[in-house]
Amino acid sequence: MKRIRTEPQLHQDGRQPSIIHRIWNTPSLLVGSLMFVVLIVLAVFIPYISPYHPSEQNLSAFLQPPSAEHWLGTDQLGRDLFTRLIYAARTDLSIMVLAEVVPFCTGVFLGMLAGYYGKWVDTVITLLTDTFIAFPFYLIVIIVAFASGAGERGIYITFMLVGWIVFARVVRGLSASFREQEWVASAQTLGLPGVRIILRHLLPNVLPQAVVVLMTDMVGLLVAIVTLGYLGIGIAPPTPDWGTMISDGQSFITTAWWLSAVPGFAVVYTGIALSLVGDGLADIWRKK
Amino acid sequence: MNTSYSWLVTALLRALAVILFVVTAVFFIIRIVPGDPAKMILGEYSTPEAIKSMHHTLGLDLPLWEQFVRFVKTLFTQGDTGNSIIAGTSTRELIAERAPVTLLLIVMACMMAIIIALLLATLAATHKDKLLDHLIRIFPTITLGMPIFWVGMLLILLFSVRLHWFPVGGVSEGWIGTLYSLTLPAITVAFSQIPTLVRSLRAQMLEILESDFVVTLRAAGLPSRVILFKHVLRNSALPTLMLLGVNISYLIGGTLVVEQVFGIKGIGSLLFTAISNRDFPVIQGIALYCAISVVIISLLIEMISWWLDPRTKGKQ
């Protein structure tokens, strides 16, 4: 029996550059991954790198400027800023990744349903996304986070509610365009059930784009986590978090500006790393 | 002709459906989340009688559908979501009192975003693949992860604390004073929009610069300055407006946060006070007013662009 090509064949010249070769030729992916890996390594090994504990107070050495002992100085309670910064990376990055799991899966799935089936399924899902989009993102995040109680749980609930929209919109458009193509039509003529076509054939084709979106979306999510921390409805104080660190430092902006500036730079650093990875992945998949 | 109006009707109906959905969502949001609003207002250790009377004041003792009918009725007849639990006055009045400064801030931010984005995009597009273009293209990657409140703090640090150009916070008296003290917050809000605007504007401009009609104009000997300002910029204005329309919901959200950084007594501070006081009617009111404005603005922008761009008329 003749095999049906179920995927779009983009490379016509027959010669497919190896994956390693492609990655090597995408500097943004390399630099971005390297930046991210450095942060992860620091976050994992911080108990061995730093002699301090993130909540260890030392009231005789508060608000110190950066020195050899305290690489980034100390905060108003004499806690080592560098140690807190990296412990905060642990908190914020793990929440960022975990909070993205459910919305990513829901969004991709709903997007495929809407794009593949069209008609009323599409109408309902589009109406749902339009409704959520009408709420200013931060407004809904603030309200839901508040209503579900401060802390990590609130963040997870919030993003389960609003995080899937981005993915649903992107994947819906892609799926709708794939539906018109012959490889979907041929799968349908074979009598394959819709679920099978969606999971086996549509999913591998929408996933790359969804992952690219995921990278940028994680940046947005991280910024939102930090914003909630800043507003006092995110991660609760004893746990180090970049947002609360920025808001704690705000009172000392005139005397010790780095207290607020440094955690912000950590967020920006992570953001740059993730968007570089996203750009790089997009490049690789486009070249394919 | 007929088909173009059917588009308009569809758009209006969709907007209406979204508004109804939004109202329902705002109504149910306090009911799905764990916790009793009355208990939240009165505190954990309140007596059952106090809770019961609070339920009655809030109308929570009525059946759910009756509460919903009541809610929708007050909203559409009086534009209100009930009295503030703390202030005692109607939510509508509280919002109306705070809205002007927030609106002004949003308008200023939009104007600044458009001007700066057009400038940067023009520079990038006219210097394609040169250093300037690369620098401007890196900009979105860097700014994507910048928390807006942090940007505001850095701007305060630089322009208020160090250079003393602007006040550190608050809003001064009088028209000039208001505009002056809102400048830095407006730049902060605009800053969050500029990257996305520049990215797509640059692409848009490059497309126009390479299009047939610009090539023809060039061949006709028109100076490139005239081509740029008269033809390219004019054709990019519409996409900018549309993009801003798409992002309006982010812009409003960002404004609420930025108000907090600069100590501006607008809708943002009303929201945060309401949140810390567990003032549900006010929270609901702000959510509804913001969401409904977003729907209306998006609809208006969709209509304007449809009206202005003759190409979309043929398509619909």
Side-chain angles (χ1 to χ4, degrees), chain B residues 105-117:
Chain B
L105 183 54
I106 292 173
V107 170
M108 281 173 78
C110 281
M111 276 161 51
M112 281 181 191
I114 290 177
I115 293 169
I116 300 173

Side-chain angles (χ1 to χ4, degrees), chain A:
Chain A
M1 195 171 134
K2 206 177 157 221
R3 270 192 70 197
I4 304 265
R5 291 198 306 202
T6 52
E7 254 123 282
Q9 303 289 308
L10 292 176
H11 30 82
Q12 299 292 341
D13 56 350
R15 163 170 80 77
Q16 193 183 353
S18 76
I19 185 80
I20 295 166
H21 188 76
R22 284 211 305 258
I23 292 174
W24 190 248
N25 280 327
T26 318
S28 52
L29 182 63
L30 285 178
V31 175
S33 321
L34 190 73
M35 285 172 73
F36 199 65
V37 166
V38 167
L39 191 63
I40 298 293
V41 168
L42 275 176
V44 170
F45 292 103
I46 185 67
Y48 308 101
I49 301 170
S50 161
Y52 306 101
H53 188 268
S55 39
E56 174 191 305
Q57 301 184 7
N58 180 1
L59 292 173
S60 61
F62 67 97
L63 291 180
Q64 282 190 352
S67 64
E69 249 170 86
H70 298 282
W71 293 352
L72 292 171
T74 58
D75 68 3
Q76 71 280 11
L77 296 172
R79 296 175 295 195
D80 184 59
L81 191 61
F82 179 75
T83 312
R84 277 184 72 72
L85 192 75
I86 304 297
Y87 272 100
R90 280 184 164 192
T91 330
D92 288 335
L93 295 185
S94 53
I95 293 177
M96 174 185 85
V97 172
L98 284 176
E100 209 49 285
V101 176
V102 176
F104 180 76
C105 298
T106 342
V108 170
F109 186 67
L110 287 180
M112 286 195 300
L113 283 185
Y116 181 76
Y117 286 111
K119 301 203 183 89
W120 67 269
V121 183
D122 188 27
T123 315
V124 170
I125 293 175
T126 311
L127 191 63
L128 216 57
T129 52
D130 279 357
T131 311
F132 276 100
I133 276 177
F135 286 104
F137 176 72
Y138 276 104
L139 185 73
I140 196 168
V141 166
I142 290 164
I143 291 174
V144 178
F146 150 73
S148 47
E152 284 178 38
R153 200 183 59 150
I155 295 171
Y156 293 131
I157 296 179
T158 310
F159 289 101
M160 264 183 228
L161 274 177
V162 296
W164 56 276
I165 296 158
V166 185
F167 304 109
R169 291 189 87 160
V170 171
V171 170
R172 174 188 167 267
L174 275 177
S175 310
S177 71
F178 284 141
R179 192 182 52 176
E180 311 291 316
Q181 288 178 7
E182 50 190 56
W183 52 274
V184 171
S186 49
Q188 283 169 336
T189 354
L190 274 180
L192 294 182
V195 182
R196 195 185 148 98
I197 298 179
I198 287 181
L199 293 180
R200 286 285 298 276
H201 305 295
L202 209 51
L203 184 62
N205 285 297
V206 296
L207 215 49
Q209 189 61 42
V211 170
V212 170
V213 175
L214 175 69
M215 292 300 145
T216 7
D217 198 59
M218 281 213 276
V219 182
L221 176 55
L222 177 66
V223 172
I225 294 172
V226 172
T227 308
L228 287 178
Y230 171 77
L231 296 171
I233 44 178
I235 296 152
T239 319
D241 151 62
W242 289 331
T244 41
M245 285 174 77
I246 296 176
S247 81
D248 284 348
Q250 197 174 12
S251 332
F252 307 97
I253 192 94
T254 45
T255 47
W257 56 269
W258 57 87
L259 283 182
S260 287
V262 168
F265 280 119
V267 182
V268 176
Y269 174 90
T270 319
I272 294 175
L274 287 173
S275 12
L276 284 177
V277 171
D279 287 351
L281 288 176
D283 275 352
I284 286 189
W285 281 316
R286 208 179 301 134
K287 274 185 220 153
K288 187 178 121 183

Side-chain angles (χ1 to χ4, degrees), chain B residues 46-288:
Chain B
S46 45
T47 58
E49 292 82 49
I51 289 179
K52 210 168 177 190
S53 82
M54 182 55 93
H55 275 169
H56 186 72
T57 331
L58 295 174
L60 290 176
D61 50 351
L62 297 168
L64 204 59
W65 65 269
E66 212 175 318
Q67 290 181 39
F68 185 60
V69 170
R70 235 199 210 187
F71 182 75
V72 174
K73 216 189 216 164
T74 353
L75 182 71
F76 285 106
T77 51
Q78 301 160 23
D80 208 347
T81 49
N83 284 354
S84 156
I85 293 166
I86 304 299
T89 44
S90 86
T91 301
R92 192 188 57 194
E93 275 167 37
L94 284 173
I95 291 178
E97 198 179 292
R98 301 294 194 93
V101 69
T102 304
L103 286 177
L104 184 62
L105 183 54
I106 292 173
V107 170
M108 281 173 78
C110 281
M111 276 161 51
M112 281 181 191
I114 290 177
I115 293 169
I116 300 173
L118 273 178
L119 192 76
L120 288 179
T122 315
L123 282 175
T126 47
H127 295 75
K128 194 186 171 216
D129 290 331
K130 300 219 176 77
L131 180 68
L132 199 60
D133 182 31
H134 286 302
L135 286 178
I136 293 172
R137 283 170 72 187
I138 294 173
F139 188 62
T141 311
I142 299 173
T143 51
L144 184 68
M146 287 192 181
I148 190 167
F149 60 90
W150 181 74
V151 173
M153 282 168 69
L154 290 191
L155 290 177
I156 292 177
L157 181 65
L158 179 64
F159 290 108
S160 310
V161 177
R162 293 285 145 105
L163 297 170
H164 302 288
W165 288 2
F166 293 101
V168 176
V171 180
S172 317
E173 294 287 305
W175 261 104
I176 307 283
T178 310
L179 288 179
Y180 175 61
S181 40
L182 286 183
T183 307
L184 214 49
I187 291 175
T188 313
V189 177
F191 190 85
S192 64
Q193 292 301 310
I194 290 168
T196 3
L197 286 180
V198 170
R199 197 185 284 207
S200 60
L201 257 181
R202 177 187 166 275
Q204 187 82 32
M205 280 184 154
L206 283 177
E207 201 180 296
I208 299 171
L209 277 172
E210 281 153 16
S211 68
D212 289 344
F213 88 94
V214 172
V215 174
T216 315
L217 289 177
R218 247 191 246 288
L222 224 64
S224 43
R225 196 165 21 91
V226 177
I227 296 178
L228 195 67
F229 286 101
K230 215 176 149 193
H231 300 280
V232 179
L233 272 184
R234 197 205 253 167
N235 279 293
S236 330
L238 195 61
T240 323
L241 189 70
M242 286 200 56
L243 199 65
L244 212 60
V246 173
N247 285 341
I248 193 76
S249 121
Y250 284 90
L251 205 125
I252 294 179
T255 310
L256 300 184
V257 178
V258 168
E259 277 182 9
Q260 206 62 7
V261 182
F262 286 89
I264 297 166
K265 294 248 169 287
I267 298 290
S269 74
L270 184 67
L271 175 69
F272 291 110
T273 323
I275 281 181
S276 51
N277 291 332
R278 320 248 175 226
D279 199 344
F280 281 96
V282 177
I283 300 175
Q284 286 181 321
I286 294 174
L288 275 176

